[in-house]
């Protein structure tokens, strides 16, 4: 079983819509969780960390469910510029240099 | 001024050749990494150096040899290239100790195609 699994999508949504997707992780001892964003043929960039109580950053909301071992990302009021691949990233412990990346969920926002 | 820069951006070469990719960061970070992203889009860590010391060496063929002359540079040399080495190789850096490794700054990637 892969350490981090994501629905590859694509999620095709109209501008202004809400889109949400999950990521599951296999190691119950994992400590740190993140969403990175990767545009087509570009490098990944940190979008946001995911905290235990859930957190928001503008139109983006991240949630963590430790019991079911998944994290989620919700994008409200989608913009064309949100079109990208969203990578779920998990760290086995807070002090570990090795991050585990999911293969990504592709979101396409259409006009 | 680019924070993490890697060269070349594109590399097309024949099987059996030897090639190098260079990476430099001007962020003052202590830790640098090489990641490989294959056609299935998984990003897998290959190597990491902290202050010029090798700290991560994943199960990578020994045809791949990293070198860090100083903490701002991490190069990757690949011998006897194989078709399966075709991928995008990303250099990255992070600040401070292991806890800082959660926030990576990536270079733009080097797309290697082996024919």
């Amino acid at each position: 079983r892969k350490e981090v699994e994501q629905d590859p999508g694509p999620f095709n949504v109209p501008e202004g819509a809400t889109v949400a997707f999950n990521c599951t992780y296999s190691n119950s001892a994992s400590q740190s969780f993140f969403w990175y964003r990767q545009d087509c043929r570009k490098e990944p960039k940190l979008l946001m960390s995911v905290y235990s109580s859930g957190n928001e950053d503008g139109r983006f909301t991240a949630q963590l469910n430790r019991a079911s071992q998944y994290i989620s990302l919700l994008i409200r009021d989608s913009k064309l510029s949100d079109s990208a691949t969203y990578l779920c990233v998990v760290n086995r412990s807070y002090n570990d240099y090795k991050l585990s990346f999911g293969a990504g969920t592709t979101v396409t926002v259409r006009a | 001024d680019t924070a993490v820069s890697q060269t070349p951006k594109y590399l097309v070469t024949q099987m059996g050749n030897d090639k190098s990719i260079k990476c430099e960061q001007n962020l003052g970070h202590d830790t640098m990494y090489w990641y490989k992203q294959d056609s299935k889009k998984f990003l897998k860590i290959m190597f990491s150096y902290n202050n010029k010391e090798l700290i991560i060496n994943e199960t990578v063929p020994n045809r791949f040899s990293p070198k860090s002359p100083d903490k701002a540079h991490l190069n990757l040399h690949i011998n006897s290239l194989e078709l399966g080495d075709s991928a995008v190789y990303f250099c990255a850096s992070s600040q401070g100790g292991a806890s800082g490794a959660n926030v990576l700054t990536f270079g733009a990637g080097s797309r290697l195609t082996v024919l």
Side-chain angles (χ1 to χ4, degrees):
Chain A
R1 186 183 168 187
K2 293 191 177 73
E3 287 188 59
V4 179
E5 296 206 58
Q6 297 184 244
D7 180 346
F11 287 78
N12 293 311
V13 299
E15 263 188 300
T18 295
V19 60
F21 41 89
N22 294 340
C23 155
T24 57
Y25 58 94
S26 60
N27 187 342
S28 60
S30 295
Q31 295 292 325
S32 305
F33 309 90
F34 310 88
W35 285 103
Y36 276 68
R37 170 194 169 129
Q38 186 171 24
D39 293 310
C40 188
R41 300 179 83 85
K42 298 279 189 183
E43 72 273 23
K45 292 182 180 175
L46 179 67
L47 177 68
M48 60 195 299
S49 301
V50 185
Y51 301 123
S52 298
S53 53
N55 48 297
E56 270 189 27
D57 184 358
R59 298 179 293 106
F60 297 83
T61 301
Q63 298 278 356
L64 167 64
N65 185 316
R66 283 194 186 274
S68 301
Q69 292 180 215
Y70 73 85
I71 66 173
S72 64
L73 183 67
L74 182 145
I75 308 173
R76 279 190 307 279
D77 188 23
S78 300
K79 311 288 183 200
L80 294 175
S81 57
D82 294 334
S83 296
T85 297
Y86 292 85
L87 305 175
C88 172
V89 182
V90 175
N91 201 345
R92 294 175 304 184
S93 73
Y94 186 67
N95 289 315
D96 193 340
Y97 284 100
K98 279 197 239 180
L99 302 181
S100 296
F101 282 77
T105 296
T106 298
V107 172
T108 302
V109 182
R110 60 182 190 274
Chain B
D1 215 15
T2 306
V4 180
S5 58
Q6 48 184 116
T7 55
K9 193 163 176 156
Y10 299 98
L11 198 49
V12 180
T13 189
Q14 300 284 337
M15 265 194 333
N17 283 350
D18 303 339
K19 290 294 176 188
S20 291
I21 309 172
K22 296 186 176 182
C23 180
E24 176 182 2
Q25 55 96 1
N26 62 7
L27 297 166
H29 287 172
D30 294 326
T31 310
M32 295 184 72
Y33 311 78
W34 278 112
Y35 277 83
K36 178 181 179 180
Q37 188 170 41
D38 60 24
S39 57
K40 292 183 181 165
K41 304 299 183 188
F42 276 106
L43 263 163
K44 289 185 184 172
I45 191 163
M46 301 172 69
F47 302 103
S48 178
Y49 275 75
N50 179 261
N51 277 320
K52 301 194 297 173
E53 181 188 342
L54 182 66
I55 55 170
I56 296 175
N57 186 350
E58 287 296 274
T59 310
V60 176
N62 57 15
R63 298 182 294 104
F64 291 78
S65 50
K67 274 204 175 66
S68 182
D70 56 62
K71 73 173 195 177
H73 295 84
L74 179 60
N75 303 323
L76 182 66
H77 187 75
I78 316 170
N79 288 327
S80 304
L81 278 156
E82 300 177 358
L83 292 176
D85 297 333
S86 296
V88 181
Y89 292 85
F90 285 101
C91 178
S93 70
S94 67
Q95 170 76 324
S99 60
N102 298 319
V103 180
L104 299 176
T105 301
F106 284 89
S110 296
R111 185 173 293 271
L112 172 65
T113 303
V114 182
L115 303 174

